[in-house]
Amino acid sequence: MYARRRHAYFAMMGTCIALFVLAWGVVRLWSIPAAVAMCVVAMVIPPVAAMVANRRGPDDRWWDDPSGDSKSDEWWDELDGKRRPPGQ
């Protein structure tokens, strides 16, 4: 899963850089508004790429990791139904 997210991130960022370079290197010679529009699209890509790269997949079990505090871990396990409370 991590490799897929990383590839998607680099593809999106590569597209962003390509849009900027093409907008001001080539497209501005024919149409300034089109170049500005390309830059606006390129401006939106980095935050979306960061969200794609940092999202958690179903195989990423970050919520199950123990915190190190045994009382807190027991409490969360009880809430999740993993262990029965003492005395039951």
Side-chain angles (χ1 to χ4, degrees):
M1 285 297 210
Y2 175 72
R4 184 179 304 156
R5 290 193 310 253
R6 189 178 58 199
H7 288 126
Y9 174 80
F10 284 121
M12 293 175 80
M13 292 307 289
T15 302
C16 175
I17 291 171
L19 281 172
F20 271 119
V21 169
L22 287 173
W24 296 114
V26 178
V27 176
R28 73 172 171 89
L29 300 173
W30 290 285
S31 173
I32 297 288
V36 170
M38 288 173 68
C39 284
V40 169
V41 171
M43 179 180 67
V44 174
I45 293 174
V48 174
M51 287 185 271
V52 167
N54 291 316
R55 73 184 161 129
R56 298 287 182 181
D59 296 336
D60 298 335
R61 303 294 298 206
W62 59 273
W63 62 88
D64 286 352
D65 292 340
S67 66
D69 179 14
S70 61
K71 188 153 183 83
S72 175
D73 291 338
E74 289 174 13
W75 185 76
W76 281 108
D77 288 343
E78 180 182 334
L79 285 178
D80 290 340
K82 292 182 182 176
R83 293 188 205 142
R84 295 189 180 265
Q88 284 188 350

